[in-house]
Amino acid sequence: MVDFNERLAALRAKFADSLEFHDPKFRKVGEKIFSGGIRLAPYSGISTFASLPLKTIDFNAPDFGDLQVAVVGVPMDLGVSNRPGSRFGPRAIRAIERIGPYNHVLECAPAFDLRIADIGDVPFKSRYRLEQSHDDIQAAIAAVVAAGVIPVSVGGDHSITHPILRAVGRDRPVGLIHIDAHCDTGGPFDQTKFHHGGPMRNAVLDGVLDPARTIQIGIRGPSEYLWEFSYASGMTVIHAEEISGLGIEAVIRKAREIVGDGPTYLSFDVDSVDPAFAPGTGTPEIGGLTTREVLELIRGLKGVNLVGADVVEVVPQYDATTNTAQVGAQVLFEILSLLTFSPSLA
């Protein structure tokens, strides 16, 4: 048996004062992230989503270069029904200083494995007009899609998903994996249908979202009576109360079965997470997913044909701990990790 001193001597010879990666699995990642033995400090430089490189886009004459994925902020919350403030969500998520760069479960580093950048925020013509803001969102995302780039949006309230889907699903309806406390298939009220409780209904009626290829996961709370359209249109709804019995693996299998191998959009509302973990949101509902369940669920979607995604409803002023922004930032990173394996980028 090799004694302690011999083993220690061997470890010192191999690892002391050296950043060399000996395991090929770790070397593949480490050599991308470290440059000359230096790794960028997470608290330095300009804050971007998941510490991505910044590529500011002039949407009057957009040039996306060779990007595969563009992450864009959508700081707009004119569609909320109660607590405002998700317009501050993109800034709060950018400010989370330590996300990634390596995903140890999916074994990827999206900032290095993809041609990807934070392209800034959607330019809005008015901070006061909801319908105009939706037109601005659609125009910006349409420019991204037209360039052959996958858009990943950070809101903002959930009404932003309707104009995004109008752009992403313009040429053919897409499927949807929708993780939320609410189905968001409500009808018009207070003289408008463009609120954060109705984007999925609006997208179906516009012909850009296929309800037969839509699954809504984590649904709960007192608004169930508003979601008739989900059932009438053929969407699959999995309530939060069902998840413990089904198990996350079964939910993943169902989601993959529903969307198949067709083009699919992923929409994540942070209120899908129990407010014990993420209180900073516009419509919190107790009895939600844990952060561990969320990570398992999203990571289980590896290989789904994603053509776009969003993270919405982070309202940072209702969470002094910044935990909600941390959840939003981590989920964003997990989505970017998924895109590393999306057939749409093959």
Side-chain angles (χ1 to χ4, degrees):
M1 178 181 293
V2 178
D3 69 16
F4 172 80
N5 289 329
E6 290 181 10
R7 285 185 283 117
L8 179 58
L11 286 172
R12 284 173 172 168
K14 188 172 184 179
F15 291 104
D17 302 319
S18 172
L19 186 63
E20 182 180 356
F21 295 93
H22 300 275
D23 187 313
K25 171 183 172 182
F26 297 131
R27 185 186 308 125
K28 181 180 177 181
V29 180
E31 290 181 349
K32 296 176 183 177
I33 295 169
F34 285 87
S35 177
I38 301 296
R39 176 182 170 186
L40 182 66
Y43 49 81
S44 67
I46 297 172
S47 295
T48 61
F49 292 124
S51 298
L52 296 176
L54 177 65
K55 182 179 178 64
T56 303
I57 299 295
D58 177 3
F59 280 96
N60 292 315
D63 178 6
F64 298 94
D66 66 347
L67 288 184
Q68 296 172 296
V69 179
V71 186
V72 58
V74 192
M76 195 285 298
D77 62 2
L78 298 174
V80 298
S81 55
N82 187 22
R83 302 202 299 187
S86 56
R87 65 182 65 185
F88 300 111
R91 179 171 290 182
I93 289 174
R94 283 187 174 108
I96 298 299
E97 71 277 0
R98 191 175 180 274
I99 294 295
Y102 182 55
N103 189 315
H104 75 284
V105 174
L106 296 180
E107 297 186 355
C108 64
F112 298 88
D113 296 336
L114 297 170
R115 298 188 301 276
I116 183 173
D118 180 339
I119 65 168
D121 291 343
V122 168
F124 291 106
K125 296 182 176 68
S126 171
R127 75 183 74 177
Y128 303 113
R129 299 179 60 193
L130 173 59
E131 288 83 353
Q132 176 65 62
S133 294
H134 281 192
D135 290 344
D136 294 339
I137 294 167
Q138 183 177 342
I141 301 302
V144 175
V145 173
V149 180
I150 291 180
V152 178
S153 305
V154 181
D157 73 59
H158 219 157
S159 74
I160 71 170
T161 303
H162 176 213
I164 293 171
L165 286 172
R166 284 176 62 89
V168 174
R170 179 186 60 187
D171 296 328
R172 75 286 185 245
V174 296
L176 174 67
I177 298 173
H178 176 198
I179 305 172
D180 201 328
H182 313 97
C183 287
D184 293 346
T185 50
F189 67 91
D190 290 353
Q191 303 182 35
T192 185
K193 65 179 180 180
F194 299 111
H195 49 77
H196 71 164
M200 310 314 175
R201 173 179 178 145
N202 295 337
V204 170
L205 295 177
D206 282 344
V208 297
L209 175 62
D210 182 354
R213 293 187 54 238
T214 293
I215 184 167
Q216 302 182 298
I217 301 167
I219 309 304
R220 62 191 187 280
S223 298
E224 176 72 18
Y225 69 98
L226 295 172
W227 314 138
E228 177 185 15
F229 184 86
S230 289
Y231 305 104
S233 64
M235 295 180 178
T236 298
V237 179
I238 298 181
H239 291 88
E241 299 81 20
E242 301 175 77
I243 292 176
S244 296
L246 291 170
I248 294 295
E249 288 188 8
V251 175
I252 292 168
R253 286 195 299 272
K254 189 65 175 177
R256 299 180 71 99
E257 173 191 330
I258 293 296
V259 300
D261 58 4
T264 300
Y265 190 86
L266 173 58
S267 185
F268 179 85
D269 188 325
V270 79
D271 72 22
S272 62
V273 182
D274 192 280
F277 304 93
T281 190
T283 317
E285 306 280 5
I286 68 166
L289 295 164
T290 68
T291 50
R292 184 178 296 167
E293 288 172 329
V294 165
L295 293 180
E296 183 180 355
L297 174 57
I298 293 176
R299 290 165 178 169
L301 303 176
K302 177 182 177 180
V304 170
N305 188 13
L306 293 180
V307 294
D310 62 51
V311 175
V312 298
E313 298 282 354
V314 170
V315 187
Q317 61 268 39
Y318 294 111
D319 183 359
T321 68
T322 75
N323 284 353
T324 307
Q326 182 84 37
V327 171
Q330 185 67 47
V331 168
L332 173 63
F333 176 74
E334 298 296 331
I335 291 172
L336 301 181
S337 298
L338 287 183
L339 287 172
T340 304
F341 306 97
S342 175
S344 61
L345 292 179

